[in-house]
Amino acid sequence: MTFAERINDRMERLGTRLCIGLDPRPEWHPAGVDLWDHCRDVLEACERYACAVKPQVAFFEAQGLRGLEALFRVLELARQIEIPVIIDAKRGDIGSTAEAYAAAWMRGANAGAALTVNPYLGRDTVQPFVDAAKEEGGAIFCLVKTSNPGAGDLQDLSTDRGTVSEVVSSWTTDWNEVGKGYGPVGAVVGATRPVELHRFRQLLPRSLLLLPGVGAQGGKPADLAPAFHPGGRGAIVSASRSVEYASRGSDFAIAARGSAKELREAINTACEVVTPR
């Protein structure tokens, strides 16, 4: 199955639209719990409530070689338990460098995974990622309207074809084929922007929307219904700190599971779909 098909399968089977973000901060861990132990325990505890997992590469890179080793162990565990992976690296560059990034995160051992992509170097710089997604059965999520307060500094600027974010939205629509369900090119739209969700859902009818910002950044599940198609389809709600660090004590995995379950139910309530027992 393609990445989008795998996401839809888990949404239907497990009744969840929640993506578990992993942004590990070892200084927050209980004594004796290292980077890998923490990520493994959180992922295994929350897997039944998640349609995807989203490791944020920067937090692993910050720990040097041991961090990257832990990241690749997370990716391997996700493959073993068959949970789709969104690699949050926000890669973007020109020519052969973009091709190398795509090879690193979307081909080979990572084929079939999804990757967040920064499109603001121009449309041609996204093409290598689009090609890899289509060839490998993976996906990309282009930054369209991000969750940070300063997003509008660039993304709201006007052009003769609409705002910058609307121009990027038009690219994603072009890359997704008509009549084939959700395509391989999705979009990141912040959950902190509820009044804009309906507009982007209309602009991006064939794209999965990735909605970061629930929890610590202030996004609320109750506000996210406009991002979904009927039946709770078409959007993935990402929560990181509010799940991963629901507790910083020795009960962190149990607390993470409880938070994930609660968020899954809150999202389903907003979408007016029944949560499986």
Side-chain angles (χ1 to χ4, degrees):
M1 291 190 289
T2 66
F3 178 86
E5 290 168 342
R6 293 172 63 206
I7 287 288
N8 287 334
D9 177 67
R10 285 187 71 89
M11 284 183 175
E12 292 177 7
R13 285 192 296 108
L14 301 181
T16 182
R17 288 115 191 112
L18 175 66
C19 172
I20 304 298
L22 293 177
D23 299 4
R25 296 164 167 83
E27 65 274 17
W28 290 3
H29 298 172
V33 176
D34 67 13
L35 192 70
W36 161 242
D37 292 337
H38 169 82
C39 293
R40 177 198 62 209
D41 291 354
V42 169
L43 181 53
E44 290 182 341
C46 298
E47 181 268 337
R48 74 183 73 173
Y49 303 117
C51 66
V53 60
K54 183 174 71 65
Q56 167 51 263
V57 171
F59 287 93
F60 294 89
E61 290 177 334
Q63 303 304 314
L65 181 58
R66 73 184 184 94
L68 293 175
E69 290 172 342
L71 173 60
F72 287 114
R73 293 180 75 178
V74 168
L75 300 180
E76 178 58 30
L77 174 60
R79 285 190 288 269
Q80 291 174 3
I81 62 178
E82 298 183 341
I83 183 169
V85 177
I86 301 171
I87 298 168
D88 194 355
K90 300 180 179 68
R91 293 299 191 240
D93 214 315
I94 63 171
S96 59
T97 309
E99 292 173 1
Y101 278 138
W105 296 114
M106 303 181 69
R107 300 188 189 274
N110 294 314
L115 177 70
T116 56
V117 171
N118 185 341
Y120 293 103
L121 277 74
R123 179 169 178 156
D124 63 303
T125 69
V126 184
Q127 192 64 54
F129 300 102
V130 176
D131 294 342
K134 291 183 175 181
E135 292 164 11
E136 302 290 350
I140 64 171
F141 288 91
C142 284
L143 304 183
V144 169
K145 194 61 182 291
T146 52
S147 58
N148 57 302
D153 294 348
L154 173 62
Q155 295 159 19
D156 287 346
L157 292 178
S158 295
T159 76
D160 58 0
R161 291 176 290 162
T163 65
V164 171
S165 62
E166 290 169 345
V167 171
V168 176
S169 296
S170 72
W171 298 347
T172 70
T173 300
D174 292 344
W175 282 315
N176 289 328
E177 296 180 45
V178 177
K180 293 195 174 183
Y182 296 111
V185 185
V188 177
V189 180
T192 54
R193 307 188 177 282
V195 298
E196 299 180 75
L197 292 178
H198 178 68
R199 179 167 64 95
F200 284 111
R201 180 71 283 170
Q202 290 182 312
L203 289 172
L204 298 156
R206 299 190 296 277
S207 290
L208 289 173
L209 302 185
L210 178 62
L211 312 176
V214 165
Q217 293 186 57
K220 297 177 175 58
D223 296 332
L224 304 182
F228 289 86
H229 285 134
R233 298 179 300 111
I236 302 165
V237 181
S238 178
S240 300
R241 279 170 285 177
S242 59
V243 173
E244 186 180 8
Y245 293 105
S247 169
R248 300 188 194 178
S250 59
D251 64 339
F252 68 91
I254 295 171
R257 181 189 296 121
S259 178
K261 181 179 180 182
E262 184 178 317
L263 276 172
R264 178 188 70 157
E265 294 170 355
I267 296 164
N268 287 347
T269 297
C271 296
E272 299 183 344
V273 297
V274 176
T275 302
R277 293 189 177 277

